[in-house]
Structures are given as structure tokens and as C-alpha cells.
Amino acid sequence: MSSAFTITDIESDLACPGAPSFVQVQLNDLSDHPLMAGGSSIQTKLPTPVVVPSKYRNYAQQVRDFRVYEDDVWIVTYPKCGTTWTQEMVWLITHDLDYQTARDINLNTRSVFLEIGAIADRVPVDTVSATASLKRPRHIKSHLPLALLPGQLWTVKPRIVYVARNPKDVAVSYLHHYQMIMGYRGTKEAFLDGLLQDRVMFCPQVQHALDFWNLRHEPHVLFLTYEAMKKDLRGMLPEVCQFFGKSYPDSKLDELALHLSFDEMKKNPSTNNDQMVRSAMKMNGREGEQFEFMRKGIVGDFRNELSEEYIAKFDQFIETQLVGSDFKYNLE
């Protein structure tokens, strides 16, 4: 079978122990691309090439051909957009608020990261094959953009939850992640410039969100934003429950909202990713340094860490990227 992709090596100043080299992956086979089908497509040109670590060249076709089941649940985000938070919320809602199992079994086991073994240079496990053989129903998380995700997502139509977050807060959170978990030792400015030029892993960033925004009316897609979750998670829970065909009394939703609060998630060993963080930091040369996966969990932290110059650059970048779309990032 010929590959659906063209894969090109690229030079990058963002190399680090966790990702020493990068490629651009261009989807060429649009036969099952949901934004290009049916003659009334939203998108009229090839998707923008995606930046991923070079290791992914060995997995691109395997992921695209990945077998999807209707009872799957997929959590898709650009990195640092509330993925862990959403995984825990969705797992509990779909498992009758089984807090005991949620405490006993780590979230990364209950809701698996599909491509981590396909991108992380020092993770020796084929996590794509491992995920394929999991007992159903499977909960699967991915940071891959639409163009690289399995084609069967749009024919089999499992439930997909997508979460977007404003790129300025993402920039701050992703920088800390890139430094401490992936071992990046370049400058802050080089990383921020990389985001502004869509050269960082999983870019293009805004298009990542727009593709799912354009599919938000599909019955099997639920589009959420990090900012709306922070503003009123309790008020959002009935919508998420309805999406999964679940209903719980108000008292149970109050309890769930408390469980999902930042402070509770941060001190919960099943969700705070402490073990993963320590392992990654050790592998990538940051052992002994201080870092927590769940750092602040606030909206607008970019104001504390980005210069006025970079805030202006990101504002211009976002405005340009959103031309022609009715999607707007929330900052409150």
C-alpha cells in the first residue's frame, strides 16, 4: 500500500533530547478527509504540513490506518490545552462516576496517549500497536491534528472531544513543558518564534483548532474551550454528560466538579502525572530540577511571562490565522 503522506526532513533550532530531529508530514490522500469530502468542502486545498519528530515517519501510515470502533472515546487537543483535565472528566462521566477505579488506576492507563511511542525518541514502546489491542471500550488521547488522525474517525464516528486554548497561554505552558519534560535548552525567544512560525511539534497550532471548529456540528464531535471550562466547569458538565448519553443528579455533578478542580487534580497521584514527569526529566537531562506537570491552571498567565513585544506578535499571529473564520479564542 502506498503512503498517504509526503514526509520531508526539516532543519530546526528546537531540537532537544526528547525530539532530536523533525519532519514535516503532508497528507496527500484526501479520500476520507472530512473537510474535503462531498463536493461542498470547507477546505479547498491540501492541509498544511504538520511538524512532528522524525520518529513519526515510521508510524504515520499506521496511525492513519488505525482501526477505530464506535465505542471508542477520543480526546484530541493541541498540547497544553487542558488534556489531562478533560481525560479525567470524560472517563468519570462515561464510567458512572467510578472514583474508586479512578483513584486506583492511573489516568494514563485508563486514557492512553496514542502516539507517545511514535514521537518520543526515548520511549521504546510501540504505543500505536499497544493502543490498537486494548480492551474495549478504549479511551484514547492524541495531540495529532486532523490531517494525521485515523481516517476511520470520520466513517465509524466514535465520540470525539476537542479542547482549544488561547495560543498565548499555550505558549507559556508549552515552553515550560518543552524545557523540563523534553529537555529543551534553547532560548525562550527561539521557542516563541517557533510557535509564531508554526515550527514547533504538532504545529500548525491555530489550524489544529480550526479544523475541529469546522466540524463542531458533527453529532460525534464536542468542541470545548479551556477558558469556558475554567469559567464554569460545573455549568458545562450537563452538556458533556448529554453528549455521552449520561445523566446524573445535581449533587453528583457538584461532587464531580469538586473532584475536577485544579487543586484536587494537582494533589491526586492518578492525575498529576508526577511519575511520568520524573521519568521524562531523568531521560532528558533534567533530573533533580523542580517542575510540576500541573503548574498554575489559570487563564491569562501569559501576561506574567510574555513581554509586550511577544504579546503583540501573538495577537497579530492569531488575527492573521483566523481570517475568514468565525472562531475566536477566549481570553477570560
Side-chain angles (χ1 to χ4, degrees):
M1 181 184 298
S2 61
S3 173
F5 302 100
T6 298
I7 301 177
T8 308
D9 292 299
I10 58 174
E11 294 292 324
S12 177
D13 55 356
L14 301 174
C16 54
S21 59
F22 294 89
V23 293
Q24 279 189 327
V25 182
Q26 171 73 67
L27 174 65
N28 300 318
D29 178 3
L30 305 175
S31 59
D32 53 17
H33 192 294
L35 296 176
M36 307 279 291
S40 57
S41 58
I42 297 171
Q43 190 166 311
T44 57
K45 59 183 180 180
L46 287 174
T48 306
V50 179
V51 177
V52 284
S54 298
K55 185 179 181 183
Y56 191 76
R57 70 165 66 247
N58 301 318
Y59 292 90
Q61 194 66 41
Q62 183 182 347
V63 171
R64 180 175 170 79
D65 296 337
F66 185 87
R67 183 171 182 181
V68 172
Y69 296 96
E70 192 174 3
D71 58 1
D72 283 347
V73 173
W74 288 70
I75 310 294
V76 181
T77 71
Y78 190 80
K80 315 313 294 181
C81 290
T83 323
T84 301
W85 194 16
T86 307
Q87 287 174 273
E88 180 76 349
M89 172 180 69
V90 167
W91 191 91
L92 283 165
I93 286 173
T94 58
H95 288 81
D96 300 322
L97 306 181
D98 182 359
Y99 294 105
Q100 187 62 53
T101 300
R103 280 189 290 268
D104 292 345
I105 300 177
N106 189 277
L107 177 60
N108 294 324
T109 301
R110 291 181 279 122
S111 186
V112 299
F113 189 177
L114 174 69
E115 70 270 11
I116 183 62
I119 60 169
D121 210 56
R122 298 184 177 185
V123 174
V125 181
D126 176 358
T127 54
V128 180
S129 294
T131 302
S133 61
L134 285 175
K135 181 181 177 182
R136 295 166 54 193
R138 308 174 301 185
H139 277 231
I140 301 170
K141 102 167 184 184
S142 178
H143 293 315
L144 295 171
L146 187 150
L148 302 193
L149 285 167
Q152 286 189 5
L153 288 176
W154 315 108
T155 54
V156 177
K157 299 186 177 181
R159 289 287 186 265
I160 304 170
V161 179
Y162 186 89
V163 188
R165 186 183 188 186
N166 86 80
K168 290 180 284 190
D169 278 338
V170 168
V172 170
S173 185
Y174 203 2
L175 172 63
H176 288 288
H177 178 101
Y178 220 76
Q179 290 171 326
M180 302 309 294
I181 293 183
M182 298 186 63
Y184 172 68
R185 294 181 182 274
T187 67
K188 175 180 180 177
E189 290 74 20
F191 184 81
L192 295 176
D193 289 341
L195 282 173
L196 289 165
Q197 296 163 12
D198 273 332
R199 296 186 292 106
V200 178
M201 182 165 59
F202 297 117
C203 280
Q205 180 184 357
V206 176
Q207 191 61 49
H208 201 295
L210 287 182
D211 282 348
F212 279 88
W213 175 253
N214 290 333
L215 294 168
R216 68 193 183 280
H217 298 307
E218 292 291 324
H220 71 297
V221 175
L222 179 64
F223 188 100
L224 305 175
T225 70
Y226 182 92
E227 292 77 17
M229 291 170 68
K230 287 296 296 185
K231 185 176 183 179
D232 186 14
L233 180 66
R234 173 62 181 83
M236 183 180 287
L237 289 176
E239 176 189 3
V240 182
C241 290
Q242 182 179 18
F243 180 70
F244 288 103
K246 294 287 188 175
S247 178
Y248 300 105
D250 286 347
S251 61
K252 294 294 186 182
L253 294 182
D254 292 342
E255 183 182 5
L256 178 58
L258 176 61
H259 175 86
L260 294 170
S261 67
F262 183 80
D263 289 344
E264 291 296 315
M265 290 275 288
K266 187 168 183 173
K267 69 184 184 185
N268 180 352
S270 178
T271 58
N272 67 12
N273 279 330
D274 187 66
Q275 187 174 356
M276 179 276 289
V277 166
R278 301 303 144 211
S279 175
M281 289 175 68
K282 183 177 181 179
M283 280 194 297
N284 295 323
R286 292 287 191 178
E287 188 175 15
E289 299 185 51
Q290 292 300 310
F291 177 72
E292 293 180 295
F293 186 82
M294 303 185 75
R295 289 188 323 111
K296 294 183 179 179
I298 62 175
V299 174
D301 189 40
F302 70 87
R303 297 185 182 95
N304 300 318
E305 299 207 34
L306 294 184
S307 67
E308 290 298 323
E309 177 189 2
Y310 271 102
I311 290 174
K313 285 182 177 180
F314 271 97
D315 286 341
Q316 181 60 52
F317 169 74
I318 294 166
E319 181 180 349
T320 301
Q321 293 281 310
L322 292 181
V323 167
S325 173
D326 58 353
F327 176 65
K328 295 289 183 278
Y329 285 104
N330 296 318
L331 294 179
E332 305 297 337

